[in-house]
């Protein structure tokens, strides 16, 4: 007599069972007793074994579904709930299957067995008759089938990415195992792979001391454990600082300059001893300090070029960038310094001076480095009057014809020293000694302006404000101002405003109206 047995299938939408004839091995699930090519219902005697479609652990789950659940977990593994739900069939979804497994098997008081695992416990099957349970199951399947038809088309199911290096963005990383294809100290296991520890080994039965071989094995194991610790520490740094998200790291690096990237590269060793939050604060502070140093260097450059306005400074930076971007001139007859062949001796001296300056003042710009004092000017030649020198020697050039003397003018520094403006302090006012401690803007003044401010007891910053206001008003008036106008602009004492007016006339910034 043929027996219709059930056969589990790997996937399905209507359920996880098919009916196979034991005589001809034909699939008669959907034939409903009809004759086929191989199967002959009139000749093949058989007995139908009913499905175990009765509840045994849960009122909504039959025994056949419980069996398919355990089979799917064995085939696909716990956690592959989507594959297990397809194996069960009956329009069960993965969340429903997972919750049922946790409720019946994991949270059971008789773990790992379900609560009603006793074969003689038939209380649940008696409370819910077979016909009622099957009708309820059929109604549930029909309702879910109609809901699936009316639901929008879902995206095609894709199998989860396998934990192999070729399936991930980071080459060599396996996220399922939290390991890399090539680990730190990758050959550490080779030293202990053939090491064996048998019970009773290590102690000499005669002396009861540890044998040298066992001591050697323990030293090797200590070395192996230290390498594993170092490997774990490096993984911790990678995971804690999100270094596996390399796309985010690349986007952040594109926003930084070459100098900032070099600075952060030098600071990377500190990430091993800091957490992510502290390291981010440390790196941002380093970038902020770098930007401040660049801004200070730029302002020093502007001060050297006598630039006192932001617009003029921006224009200067644009012209400087265009000058640097200009290609160097070429040709054998080019006289520019950039293409002249440099002598070997000069080149060695220049390199030596540069190396010395890097050791003495690496942060100081080249224009602010100390310069050697200039040699003293040669003494002027003696003057000749009426063709005769002071020592009595006749002048070879002879006397001058216009009645003027053949006198050599003193050098320019001496003329400036003689014509230097002397500030007389106003009566009744004590001079003020200005230093870098009590006047922070003293470096912005010339020596004559410093003497003027000390004589009239005005700090450098108020003086610069009055100077700017007077010059702006002079430009509006055609360059000429009266002493009263200067007093009205400065709004200070008459004696002090008079000294300012006289100094501005001497400097040539304004004219007397």
């Amino acid at each position: 007599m043929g027996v219709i047995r059930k056969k589990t299938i790997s996937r399905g939408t209507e359920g996880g069972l098919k009916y196979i004839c034991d005589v001809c091995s034909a699939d008669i699930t959907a034939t409903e007793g009809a004759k086929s090519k191989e199967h002959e219902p009139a000749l093949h005697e058989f007995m139908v074994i009913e499905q175990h479609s009765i509840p045994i652990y849960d009122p909504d789950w039959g025994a056949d579904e419980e069996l398919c659940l355990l089979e799917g977990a064995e085939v696909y593994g716990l956690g592959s709930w989507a594959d297990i739900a397809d194996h069960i069939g009956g329009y069960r979804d993965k969340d429903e299957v997972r919750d049922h497994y946790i409720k019946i098997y994991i949270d059971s008081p008789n773990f790992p067995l379900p609560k009603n695992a006793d074969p003689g416990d038939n209380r649940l099957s008696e409370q819910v008759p077979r016909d009622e349970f099957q009708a309820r199951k059929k109604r549930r399947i029909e309702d879910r089938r109609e809901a699936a038809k009316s639901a929008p088309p879902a995206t095609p199911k894709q199998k989860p990415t396998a934990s192999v290096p070729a399936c991930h963005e980071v080459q060599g990383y396996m996220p399922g195992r939290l390991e890399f294809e090539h680990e730190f100290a990758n050959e550490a296991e080779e030293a202990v792979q053939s090491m064996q520890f048998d019970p009773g080994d290590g102690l000499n039965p005669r002396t009861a001391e540890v044998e040298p071989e066992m001591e050697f094995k323990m030293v090797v194991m200590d070395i192996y454990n230290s390498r594993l610790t170092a490997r774990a520490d490096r993984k911790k740094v990678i995971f804690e600082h999100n270094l596996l998200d390399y796309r985010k790291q690349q986007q952040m690096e594109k926003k930084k300059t070459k100098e900032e990237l070099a600075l952060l590269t030098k600071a990377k060793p500190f990430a091993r001893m800091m957490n992510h939050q502290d390291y981010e604060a440390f790196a941002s502070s380093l970038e902020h300090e770098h930007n401040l140093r660049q801004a200070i260097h730029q302002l020093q450059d502007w001060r050297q070029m006598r630039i006192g306005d932001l617009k003029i400074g921006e224009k200067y930076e644009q012209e400087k960038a265009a000058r640097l971007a200009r290609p160097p001139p070429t040709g054998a007859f080019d006289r520019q310094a950039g293409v002249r062949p440099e002598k070997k001796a000069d080149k060695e001296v220049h390199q030596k001076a540069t190396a010395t300056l890097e050791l003495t003042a690496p942060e100081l710009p080249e224009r602010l480095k100390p310069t050697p004092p200039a040699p003293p000017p040669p003494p002027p030649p003696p003057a000749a009057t009426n063709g005769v020198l002071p020592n009595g020697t006749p002048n070879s050039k002879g006397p001058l014809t216009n009645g003027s003397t053949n006198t050599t003018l003193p050098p320019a520094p001496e003329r400036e020293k003689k014509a230097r403006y002397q500030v007389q302090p106003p009566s009744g006012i004590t001079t003020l000694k200005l230093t870098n401690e009590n006047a922070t803007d003293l470096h912005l003044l010339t020596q004559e302006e410093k003497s003027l401010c000390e004589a009239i007891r005005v700090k450098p910053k108020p003086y610069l404000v009055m100077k700017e206001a007077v010059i702006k008003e002079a430009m509006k008036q055609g360059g000429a101002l009266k002493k009263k106008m200067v007093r009205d602009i400065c709004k200070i004492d008459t004696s002090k405003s008079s000294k300012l007016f006289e100094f501005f006339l001497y400097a040539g910034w304004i004219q007397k109206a």
Side-chain angles (χ1 to χ4, degrees):
M1 179 180 63
V3 178
I4 297 179
R5 59 183 177 84
K6 60 182 178 180
K7 179 180 179 182
T8 58
I9 58 175
S10 59
R11 291 206 178 257
T13 55
E14 295 290 335
L17 298 177
K18 285 186 177 181
Y19 295 93
I20 309 297
C21 179
D22 278 347
V23 178
C24 60
S25 299
D27 185 3
I28 58 174
T29 304
T31 56
E32 297 180 357
K35 181 180 179 182
S36 62
K37 185 177 181 181
E38 293 86 5
H39 182 63
E40 184 68 34
L43 301 177
H44 293 174
E45 297 181 358
F46 58 87
M47 178 180 64
V48 177
I49 300 177
E50 296 182 357
Q51 294 183 355
H52 301 290
S53 186
I54 54 175
I56 55 176
Y57 302 143
D58 190 279
D60 294 332
W61 283 69
D64 53 345
E65 293 177 317
E66 299 286 354
L67 181 61
C68 290
L69 171 62
L70 298 178
E71 289 178 352
E74 182 181 1
V75 173
Y76 301 107
L78 285 176
S80 303
W81 303 113
D83 294 335
I84 296 175
D86 290 343
H87 183 79
I88 296 173
Y91 289 94
R92 298 280 188 187
D93 57 3
K94 59 179 183 179
D95 296 333
E96 184 181 7
V97 173
R98 181 191 64 238
D99 296 341
H100 175 75
Y101 184 85
I102 294 175
K103 174 185 176 182
I104 300 300
Y105 296 93
I106 303 299
D107 297 339
S108 171
N110 301 330
F111 178 82
L113 297 176
K115 182 179 180 180
N116 302 328
D118 188 1
D121 189 356
N122 298 327
R123 290 176 297 175
L124 191 60
S125 58
E126 292 176 357
Q127 293 176 3
V128 183
R130 180 191 300 270
D131 297 338
E132 181 182 351
F133 177 79
Q134 290 182 353
R136 188 191 307 171
K137 178 179 178 181
K138 182 178 180 181
R139 186 164 54 252
R140 173 176 55 81
I141 293 176
E142 291 177 354
D143 294 342
R144 294 191 178 184
R145 182 189 294 114
E146 295 297 330
K149 289 181 180 179
S150 59
T155 56
K157 183 181 294 185
Q158 296 181 356
K159 195 172 183 179
T161 306
S163 182
V164 294
C167 297
H168 299 283
E169 297 176 351
V170 180
Q171 185 177 5
Y173 175 62
M174 296 174 283
R177 302 170 58 181
L178 298 179
E179 293 180 355
F180 293 88
E181 187 177 11
H182 186 84
E183 295 279 356
F184 172 76
N186 201 42
E187 295 81 13
E189 285 76 9
E190 295 181 0
V192 297
Q193 63 181 357
S194 59
M195 191 178 297
Q196 295 181 357
F197 293 89
D198 296 330
D201 288 351
L203 292 178
N204 193 334
R206 296 180 180 178
T207 61
E209 296 180 354
V210 180
E211 296 182 353
E213 183 180 359
M214 179 57 64
E215 293 181 353
F216 175 74
K217 288 182 179 180
M218 296 306 297
V219 171
V220 173
M221 289 301 300
D222 291 340
I223 296 174
Y224 174 66
N225 290 331
S226 64
R227 291 180 178 177
L228 291 184
T229 303
R231 182 186 298 175
D233 292 341
R234 282 161 173 78
K235 285 184 180 180
K236 181 180 178 181
V237 173
I238 293 175
F239 298 147
E240 186 174 0
H241 294 278
N242 299 326
L243 299 181
L244 292 175
D245 193 358
Y246 82 101
R247 290 188 176 179
K248 182 179 179 181
Q249 299 291 335
Q250 284 183 343
Q251 292 177 358
M252 294 174 60
E253 290 178 355
K254 288 180 180 179
K255 299 178 181 179
K256 302 183 184 300
T257 60
K258 187 183 298 183
E259 293 80 6
E260 292 177 347
L261 290 177
L263 183 64
L264 293 179
T265 302
K266 294 180 181 179
K268 281 183 178 179
F270 293 97
R272 298 181 60 182
M273 59 189 73
M274 296 182 180
N275 56 30
H276 184 63
Q277 184 177 1
D278 293 344
Y279 177 73
E280 288 293 331
F282 174 67
S284 61
S285 300
L286 288 179
E287 293 179 7
H288 183 61
E289 180 186 2
H290 174 72
N291 295 333
L292 287 179
R293 289 181 180 273
Q294 284 189 336
I296 292 173
H297 179 77
Q298 186 182 44
L299 292 176
Q300 289 176 346
D301 190 14
W302 289 6
R303 182 194 301 172
Q304 187 73 14
M305 301 303 296
R306 304 289 183 180
I307 297 175
D309 192 0
L310 290 177
K311 292 184 179 180
I312 301 176
E314 293 177 359
K315 184 178 179 182
Y316 168 73
E317 292 296 332
Q318 292 176 0
E319 293 177 354
K320 183 179 178 181
R323 203 163 48 245
L324 294 176
R326 190 181 305 163
T330 57
F333 300 98
D334 187 16
R335 295 184 178 181
Q336 295 190 9
V339 295
R340 287 177 183 170
E342 190 175 4
K343 295 181 181 180
K344 185 176 181 181
D346 297 340
K347 187 175 182 180
E348 291 178 356
V349 172
H350 178 67
Q351 290 179 353
K352 185 176 181 181
T354 304
T356 305
L357 291 175
E358 286 180 356
L359 293 176
T360 55
E363 301 294 337
L364 198 60
E366 192 69 32
R367 63 181 181 280
L368 299 179
K369 302 275 172 64
T371 55
T385 307
N386 295 330
V388 180
L389 294 176
N391 57 4
T393 307
N395 188 9
S396 59
K397 296 183 180 180
L400 296 177
T401 56
N402 338 359
S404 56
T405 60
N406 189 9
T407 304
T408 305
L409 293 175
E414 291 190 3
R415 295 202 308 270
E416 293 179 359
K417 186 175 181 181
K418 291 180 180 179
R420 184 175 178 181
Y421 182 75
Q422 298 293 335
V423 183
Q424 296 295 333
S427 60
I429 297 178
T430 307
T431 59
L432 174 65
K433 184 63 176 179
L434 296 178
T435 60
N436 292 326
E437 286 76 14
N438 60 6
T440 57
D441 301 329
L442 188 60
H443 61 281
L444 300 176
L445 305 183
T446 62
Q447 190 64 30
E448 296 176 348
E449 291 178 324
K450 177 183 175 182
S451 302
L452 175 65
C453 292
E454 289 179 347
I456 64 176
R457 296 184 64 87
V458 176
K459 292 293 185 70
K461 191 170 184 179
Y463 165 75
L464 293 174
V465 174
M466 292 186 290
K467 172 184 171 182
E468 182 180 3
V470 170
I471 293 176
K472 285 184 177 180
E473 186 64 26
M475 293 175 63
K476 295 179 182 178
Q477 301 295 334
L481 290 177
K482 294 182 180 182
K483 187 180 296 186
K484 182 180 179 181
M485 298 177 65
V486 174
R487 185 175 69 249
D488 295 338
I489 294 173
C490 297
K491 296 180 181 179
I492 58 176
D493 187 54
T494 305
S495 58
K496 296 182 180 181
S497 62
S498 300
K499 295 296 181 181
L500 287 176
F501 180 74
E502 293 173 1
F503 179 74
F504 291 160
L505 289 178
Y506 161 77
W509 296 334
I510 62 174
Q511 294 179 1
K512 190 173 182 180

